[in-house]
Amino acid sequence: MEKEKKKAFVTEDILKRDIAYRGMEKIPTEVYDDSKAASVAIANEIAKLIRQKEKEKKNCILGLATGSTPIKVYKELARMHKEEGLSFKNVISFNLDEYYPIDSKALQSYHVYMNTYLFDHIDIPKENINLPDGMAPQNKIEEFCKSYEEKIISLGGIDIQLLGIGRDGHIGFNEPGSSKKSKTRLIHLDKITKIDAGGDFFGIENVPKYALTMGVESILNAKRIFIMAYGESKSRIVKKAIEGPITQEIPSTFLQDHSNTSFYLDRAAADLLVRFQCP
Ligand code: PGA
């Protein structure tokens, strides 16, 4: 009798904790053993939508991200193209951001990144690829940003948006202080972002001062958002983005207001979430 009582108490306690962490997490969050498993799961979701749209004879509009985080998603999509015949003929892509100024042929440009990790390995028509122009003349930037927004809207909006998260909480290059209403624009890069990019540019002093980025509002207009974070270095900001209050200081917290966003994490990035603080 005594034993049974104890057992019931434990179950109730676990349930209470379960409810507590679920209340803490304001963005649905999937935690995987490693980044490969998370990336394959996202690639499967993307492939499913591309095939569904193909059946419906419609385009699939993808919002793409760069950095180290999405590489394994692109690798899996390229594998699916090669081994399973997944076609990207009906895909139209829009990249989130690009350094400014930067030559599109520079090794560090996101143009080169996208060709290296994805576009050179799939059958997406060249004319369906859209990236912010890091070489746009200064007096044309505003016009460029406006037409980037308009093109996305005219195609019916982004079906799936991929995102990474910066250690300062940025999404795209929407650095702390970016407003929820922000649109595609030129932005000053934060110190922490430049430090993180310093390795690619052989020194922080070589990192471009600016970037062109889709705005927070442009991102929130996407129908489905997958945001990924891997590794212990992201655990602090992941906790703030998922469990913290919404604040302009951490633009990724605005995703809490989006009805169809999921965080995909590896165990290391998820480590500080309340659900893993239970002994
Ligand atoms: P990372 O960058 O994937 O290289 O960590 C993420 C980001 O800044 O969005």
Side-chain angles (χ1 to χ4, degrees):
M1 181 65 188
E2 193 50 37
K3 219 176 180 183
E4 251 181 36
K5 229 177 162 184
K6 208 169 175 190
K7 211 167 144 198
F9 169 74
V10 170
T11 312
E12 206 175 292
D13 192 37
I14 287 172
L15 279 177
K16 264 194 213 143
R17 282 178 184 165
D18 181 65
I19 288 161
Y21 83 65
R22 278 167 206 279
M24 288 301 293
E25 292 177 11
K26 297 163 194 158
I27 299 176
T29 300
E30 308 286 335
V31 182
Y32 288 81
D33 287 343
D34 55 43
S35 59
K36 168 124 194 257
S39 303
V40 168
I42 293 175
N44 282 334
E45 292 292 328
I46 295 172
K48 201 163 91 187
L49 189 69
I50 293 174
R51 289 192 176 109
Q52 182 197 317
K53 293 272 182 185
E54 192 188 11
K55 265 196 208 139
E56 295 167 0
K57 305 216 175 317
K58 285 186 184 155
N59 288 320
C60 183
I61 318 296
L62 297 182
L64 301 178
T66 46
S68 58
T69 307
I71 290 175
K72 290 186 181 128
V73 173
Y74 298 146
K75 207 168 168 191
E76 177 63 7
L77 289 173
R79 188 199 65 75
M80 287 170 153
H81 172 66
K82 197 168 161 216
E83 294 174 14
E84 295 170 12
L86 174 67
S87 173
F88 291 77
K89 286 246 159 72
N90 64 329
V91 169
I92 301 179
S93 71
F94 288 87
N95 263 79
L96 273 172
D97 46 20
E98 176 60 290
Y99 293 107
Y100 186 88
I102 197 164
D103 190 314
S104 63
K105 293 196 174 58
L107 264 185
Q108 301 86 352
S109 84
Y110 289 155
H111 284 70
V112 169
Y113 171 105
M114 288 309 302
N115 289 336
T116 307
Y117 291 111
L118 187 64
F119 298 149
D120 285 351
H121 311 284
I122 59 174
D123 61 347
I124 184 169
K126 287 269 171 285
E127 62 276 17
N128 288 5
I129 294 171
N130 299 278
L131 279 110
D133 182 3
M135 295 195 293
Q138 269 184 48
N139 62 355
K140 292 271 188 309
I141 287 178
E142 235 170 274
E143 198 182 312
F144 173 85
C145 292
K146 200 161 167 266
S147 67
Y148 204 73
E149 292 273 335
E150 284 168 359
K151 193 166 180 187
I152 294 172
I153 293 166
S154 73
L155 290 164
I158 287 174
D159 293 308
I160 290 183
Q161 176 69 57
L162 282 186
L163 294 176
I165 182 170
R167 283 193 302 137
D168 61 0
H170 70 208
I171 44 174
F173 273 132
N174 292 288
E175 301 287 31
S178 296
S179 113
K180 195 179 174 190
K181 290 266 159 226
S182 55
K183 300 222 165 62
T184 303
R185 69 203 186 286
L186 186 71
I187 190 159
H188 230 117
L189 293 178
D190 257 37
K191 195 167 170 197
I192 189 164
T193 299
K194 289 171 90 178
I195 291 170
D196 285 350
D200 291 342
F201 285 88
F202 309 106
I204 180 174
E205 66 281 6
N206 301 321
V207 179
K209 270 207 175 96
Y210 309 98
L212 291 165
T213 184
M214 277 168 57
V216 174
E217 186 173 273
S218 336
I219 291 170
L220 292 177
N221 281 338
K223 291 164 197 150
R224 178 84 175 104
I225 298 176
F226 293 106
I227 177 163
M228 302 164 266
Y230 306 129
E232 189 259 332
S233 67
K234 296 283 171 76
S235 60
R236 281 169 201 280
I237 197 65
V238 159
K239 181 176 176 65
K240 288 182 184 166
I242 295 174
E243 296 179 346
I246 295 175
T247 163
Q248 208 162 323
E249 282 309 297
I250 304 173
S252 45
T253 60
F254 288 128
L255 294 168
Q256 294 177 14
D257 278 344
H258 186 269
S259 59
N260 204 6
T261 291
S262 298
F263 244 107
Y264 277 58
L265 304 174
D266 66 1
R267 185 59 183 80
D271 201 46
L272 298 178
L273 295 178
V274 167
R275 70 160 105 170
F276 291 116
Q277 304 311 304
C278 303

